[in-house]
Amino acid sequence: MSATQIERRGPVAVVRLVNPPVNGLGSAVRSGLEAAFNQLLPDDSVAGIVITGDGRMFSAGADIREFGRTPPPGVPNLPELIDWLEESSKPVVAAIHGVAAGGGLELALGCHYRIVAPKTRLGLPEVTLGILPGAGGTQRLPRVAGVEAALELIVSGRLVSEREALKLGIVDQVAEGDVVAAAVAKAAELAATGTPPRRSSERDEGLAAARADPGLFDRFRRSMAKRARGMNAPYACVRCIEAAVRLPFAEGRHFEHQEFRKLVGAVEAQAMRHAFFAEREVAKIPDLPDSTPTRPIAAAGVIGCGTMGGGIAMVFANAGIPVTVVESDAGALDAGLEKIRANYQATVDKGRLAQDAMDERMALIAGATGFDAVADADIVVEAVFEEMPVKKQVFGILDRTCRPGAILATNTSTLDVDEIAAATGRPESVIGTHFFSPANVMRLLEVVRGAKSSPETVATAMALSKTLGKIGVLVGVCDGFVGNRMLHQYLREAAFLVEEGALPQDVDRVIYDFGFPMGPFAMSDLAGNDIGWRIRKAKMAERPAGTGSGDERYSGTISDRLCERGRFGQKTGAGWYRYEDGRTPLPDPEVESLIVETSKALGIGQRPVSDREILERCLYPLVNEGARILDEGIALRSSDIDMVWIHGYGFPRYRGGPMFWADTVGLDAIAAAMRGFQAVHGDWMAPAPLLEKLVAEGKGFKDL
Ligand code: CAA
Ligand code: NAI
């Protein structure tokens, strides 16, 4: 089937883009559009032209898979094609439904008139792919919607509703009925009245305000500094919009093209594209074909309404799924529900949620103190204390109470899902759903497949993660699953670095500058140092006397000392840092002397530690553990590990995740550094066999 189809409706020709699933503007579509216009423009029986999309949407823009490939000879590039279509002396009207994103919206902006159906999302999300709208978007949008709106939309990459697009002047009309029919009528009317084409490139009413306000761009650059940290694309977008104000259209388009070319091949864009495709790949499970049945989830239960249970209940309510939370007594239940209410209220107070939306969500959350209340639920997520006997008891009760076919999920972060499943007579229906804190905010969900979890249970949990707006990553059972198992390596080395002479603020600065939202010590102060302290004490208590922590070298000494002094972190006003305003970490001389004393007592000589060593010691062992995880089949793909780290731990997306980043560093360099660390520190730093194998074969994680 051709990638474009032409249909006549009286004097108007409708050109339909046909490239499922998203009408990406690949070579075939571009050639098709060119051929269609070559046929229609000289045809005197055609008075006007409508461009529309077949299927679900108008167009999601350039075909991202074609980036970096040379198009076949004779195929027009998108920017030039759009310029040429815009030149048409016959009226060209875009009939937009579903989505018009990136090049899709740029194509629509090249049309003379835009009519949009309800429930359509429009925007220029290129920046989220590490590039900029390179088909005239940075030049036409400010002319049509004004510079301030264009800056906000292009730099955030946000898609707007058709209503907002109308308000901003991006579209001309919202058609309640058949959008193509409305566009045909408009094209016929424009032709009949002889209205001259209204070309976006010739408009300049949107530029006037910026021309009168020379400080606008510098102010905007300051306001975006935090969210654009470490990236090039957002700044290139601003430069292009600045060029739209400063230069005539053709020169501005040329400038945009030059900036686009600089970005598209760079590591930042490769990493962001990798993340885009990895987010979709993660849902595909090789041994679970699309035909695997899933169970409908119309009602949920959550056991435990503490930090995680409360957040998980909100996740269900946010997705419109009624949920019942069960607590051990009325007091804990009231406290848990009150916490949920306060959480929503804070979002309402910040203007990010409407009061009636909050009321609707609260109405979906019911509370109970008996398990009977979840007897009819389609899924029950357990989030009680992290103790195996408690978990087993809860699963025993759930097994007796819940209806056959219900999925029984555990939010455990460290315990063996198979042992928990064995407490029931239906281990095939048991699975781990490891949410990250705060559950209602973090997008990662590790779906932990037990040895006996049935395909249907796994497929349902994976489908549910999408319904809940999460990135569900399927992982296997092991201590810490994927994320926390790798985190352990990173935190351990961070602690050792401090024992060896780095200060917490040095480590945090290096990690922050790498692109994480915060370093390990600031993170620990935020989460509470006492959590790790309690876990370490429990682990020690489990071991026979005198056998130590299990690690070759114990990494918790300084943190233990801090906790003994009540320095639990932000909540006690002091931890690795001191806090005057409750949240800004300030280096503390008391901590510095404690570090020196403790290291001395441990017999560790303090030495200067370079920034490079900090980065490599923290991140290479993390990658190395990722390689072990892959080798053991705990994660399905290296890109799945990248998803865990981007969506669960704030690994900078523009670096693609730890495994993608490792490939950009070079696995040979990482393996060599690990061998060096092993020689100095111990065998826990030995390169993983898979890492060595890939180095020997000259391959990267991307080749697996
Ligand atoms: N190019 C190639 N493939 C694309 C694509 C694109 N622009 N957009 C989506 N796809 C693919 C997805 O990878 C997915 O493929 P699989 O089924 O094989 O996994 C399939 O289309 C369906 O996509 P989604 O699962 O994302 O569908 P959705 O309905 O959830 O979302 C969407 C639809 C909002 C359009 C979303 O796909 C999206 O955001 N797409 C990207 C939009 C974008 O960034 N466009 C800018 C492109 S760059 C550009 O246009 C450059 C320029 O200026 C010249
Ligand atoms: P929490 O201590 O805040 O909440 C646990 C809640 O469970 C308490 O409110 C308690 O009253 C309730 N509870 C205990 N036994 C119960 C029973 N028999 N019936 C009903 N309710 C009962 O603990 P948190 O932090 O929410 O952790 C819950 C689970 O989530 C644990 O398995 C933990 O490992 C896991 N987890 C925790 C994360 C975190 O950051 N806090 C992150 C990811 C997982």
Side-chain angles (χ1 to χ4, degrees):
M1 193 197 284
S2 164
T4 50
Q5 290 171 357
I6 303 176
E7 175 200 330
R8 283 299 292 269
R9 297 210 190 167
V12 176
V14 177
V15 180
R16 201 174 285 276
L17 314 176
V18 189
N19 186 16
V22 296
N23 294 326
L25 301 169
S27 309
V29 174
R30 299 201 304 278
S31 294
L33 259 177
E34 185 183 46
F37 271 66
N38 270 329
Q39 178 190 327
L40 299 172
L41 289 176
D43 183 340
D44 289 337
S45 71
V46 175
I49 302 170
V50 166
I51 302 180
T52 190
D54 196 50
R56 287 203 291 142
M57 64 185 71
F58 182 75
S59 168
D63 188 332
I64 304 167
R65 288 175 209 274
E66 286 186 1
F67 282 3
R69 289 195 221 148
T70 319
V75 175
N77 72 32
L78 188 61
E80 285 167 8
L81 179 67
I82 293 174
D83 288 353
W84 178 67
L85 300 183
E86 190 189 41
E87 281 302 307
S88 162
S89 54
K90 297 179 183 181
V92 182
V93 180
I96 306 167
H97 73 291
V99 175
L105 180 57
E106 292 176 295
L107 173 62
L109 287 168
C111 297
H112 305 142
Y113 208 83
R114 286 162 287 283
I115 303 193
V116 61
K119 295 201 175 139
T120 298
R121 291 180 297 147
L122 307 98
L124 296 174
E126 284 87 343
V127 75
T128 64
L129 295 167
I131 54 171
L132 53 81
T138 65
Q139 305 302 297
R140 288 191 179 89
L141 188 66
R143 286 179 158 80
V144 166
V147 169
E148 282 201 63
L151 279 169
E152 194 275 314
L153 288 181
I154 293 176
V155 171
S156 69
R158 180 170 75 89
L159 301 189
V160 297
S161 69
E162 75 286 351
R163 288 281 149 207
E164 191 174 350
L166 184 67
K167 221 160 74 192
L168 291 169
I170 299 172
V171 300
D172 300 289
Q173 186 184 326
V174 175
E176 289 299 331
D178 178 344
V179 69
V180 175
V184 167
K186 188 70 200 178
E189 176 206 313
L190 290 169
T193 53
T195 312
R198 189 197 47 172
R199 302 188 176 99
S200 305
S201 63
E202 292 170 358
R203 292 168 64 176
D204 77 351
E205 67 270 19
L207 307 180
R211 286 190 174 134
D213 180 3
L216 173 71
F217 289 99
D218 282 341
R219 283 202 308 279
F220 191 80
R221 277 194 194 88
R222 281 196 295 276
S223 75
M224 69 191 252
K226 198 167 167 204
R227 61 195 155 110
R229 189 164 63 91
M231 286 181 269
N232 289 315
Y235 290 99
C237 290
V238 176
R239 281 196 295 278
C240 289
I241 299 169
E242 215 167 7
V245 175
R246 194 164 37 88
L247 301 172
F249 180 79
E251 286 175 41
R253 261 272 290 103
H254 179 70
F255 183 87
E256 176 193 89
H257 185 61
Q258 300 299 324
E259 291 280 337
F260 181 84
R261 284 174 51 127
K262 280 188 240 163
L263 294 175
V264 72
V267 172
E268 178 178 323
Q270 288 171 28
M272 305 274 260
R273 279 204 295 279
H274 165 77
F276 176 86
F277 286 118
E279 272 161 6
R280 283 146 185 89
E281 188 76 9
V282 77
K284 295 169 192 155
I285 310 303
D287 67 333
L288 291 185
D290 287 347
S291 55
T292 311
T294 54
R295 303 180 197 168
I297 304 290
V302 173
I303 311 300
C305 196
T307 309
M308 294 306 290
I312 296 167
M314 292 171 77
V315 172
F316 279 108
N318 294 349
I321 299 174
V323 54
T324 303
V325 286
V326 176
E327 256 297 346
S328 35
D329 59 59
L333 180 63
D334 286 349
L337 291 174
E338 188 42 46
K339 189 95 191 287
I340 293 177
R341 177 176 295 282
N343 236 322
Y344 275 132
Q345 193 59 55
T347 317
V348 170
D349 293 346
K350 284 184 207 145
R352 295 204 203 125
L353 183 72
Q355 183 63 50
D356 52 353
M358 167 177 165
D359 296 343
E360 275 169 30
R361 292 177 197 191
M362 280 307 295
L364 287 171
I365 302 175
T369 50
F371 280 59
D372 286 347
V374 295
D376 294 325
D378 301 307
I379 184 168
V380 179
V381 181
E382 164 278 313
V384 302
F385 301 133
E386 186 73 342
E387 289 162 27
M388 186 54 96
V390 184
K391 303 272 191 205
K392 281 185 169 170
Q393 189 204 10
V394 166
F395 272 77
I397 304 173
L398 288 175
D399 190 26
R400 290 193 295 280
T401 318
C402 294
R403 63 166 187 75
I407 290 180
L408 308 182
T410 172
N411 190 50
T412 182
S413 37
T414 53
L415 301 174
D416 183 343
V417 174
D418 293 329
E419 199 179 332
I420 295 173
T424 74
R426 45 170 130 174
E428 71 284 355
S429 293
V430 176
I431 196 157
T433 48
H434 184 214
F435 287 82
F436 283 67
S437 181
N440 54 317
V441 176
M442 300 300 290
R443 284 197 75 201
L444 178 63
L445 176 62
E446 284 183 328
V447 175
V448 190
R449 181 182 206 158
K452 295 191 176 159
S453 308
S454 71
E456 199 176 330
T457 302
V458 177
T460 304
M462 292 301 289
L464 177 66
S465 59
K466 193 161 185 200
T467 312
L468 298 179
K470 301 290 176 195
I471 303 283
V473 182
L474 188 63
V475 304
V477 175
C478 69
D479 190 8
F481 312 127
V482 170
N484 285 344
R485 179 168 156 185
M486 289 165 74
L487 182 74
H488 175 73
Q489 303 287 320
Y490 161 82
L491 294 181
R492 184 197 60 214
E493 292 309 312
F496 286 165
L497 284 163
V498 165
E499 289 178 358
E500 291 165 31
L503 288 171
Q505 53 268 33
D506 297 329
V507 178
D508 282 356
R509 173 180 44 79
V510 170
I511 296 297
Y512 179 81
D513 287 348
F514 179 79
F516 277 92
M518 65 181 84
F521 298 103
M523 186 180 88
S524 189
D525 272 0
L526 179 66
N529 299 321
D530 52 319
I531 297 180
W533 190 39
R534 241 182 294 130
I535 294 173
R536 287 193 297 277
K537 282 196 288 192
K539 277 199 173 161
M540 291 286 217
E542 275 172 20
R543 291 178 186 277
T547 58
S549 67
D551 269 335
E552 290 85 340
R553 176 176 150 197
Y554 182 61
S555 60
T557 315
I558 298 176
S559 184
D560 290 348
R561 299 279 173 282
L562 290 173
C563 290
E564 284 156 14
R565 296 181 185 195
R567 299 186 69 119
F568 291 169
Q570 286 193 14
K571 61 186 168 190
T572 56
W576 289 96
Y577 297 95
R578 63 191 178 86
Y579 297 86
E580 280 176 4
D581 62 1
R583 44 197 303 251
T584 313
L586 302 168
D588 190 342
E590 189 185 323
V591 175
E592 289 168 23
S593 26
L594 179 94
I595 291 170
V596 173
E597 280 162 26
T598 312
S599 295
K600 208 167 167 190
L602 289 170
I604 298 169
Q606 292 236 318
R607 62 183 169 88
V609 178
S610 71
D611 286 0
R612 179 178 166 177
E613 181 177 352
I614 292 175
L615 192 72
E616 295 183 350
R617 282 275 297 281
C618 287
L619 295 189
Y620 289 0
L622 184 151
V623 168
N624 198 45
E625 195 65 24
R628 290 186 201 282
I629 282 170
L630 272 178
D631 222 4
E632 291 168 25
I634 297 293
L636 285 170
R637 291 167 279 247
S638 66
S639 61
D640 284 10
I641 298 181
D642 290 333
M643 291 299 93
V644 166
W645 274 80
I646 289 176
H647 292 292
Y649 300 86
F651 195 98
R653 186 183 180 86
Y654 63 85
R655 295 192 191 274
M659 311 311 270
F660 181 92
W661 173 74
D663 279 348
T664 67
V665 171
L667 298 192
D668 47 352
I670 295 182
M674 289 301 296
R675 274 181 236 114
F677 295 148
Q678 180 186 9
V680 177
H681 301 287
D683 280 344
W684 70 88
M685 293 292 247
L690 178 63
L691 187 64
E692 294 281 34
K693 179 168 171 278
L694 288 172
V695 171
E697 292 170 357
K699 291 184 179 161
F701 291 118
K702 64 178 183 314
D703 302 310
L704 288 172

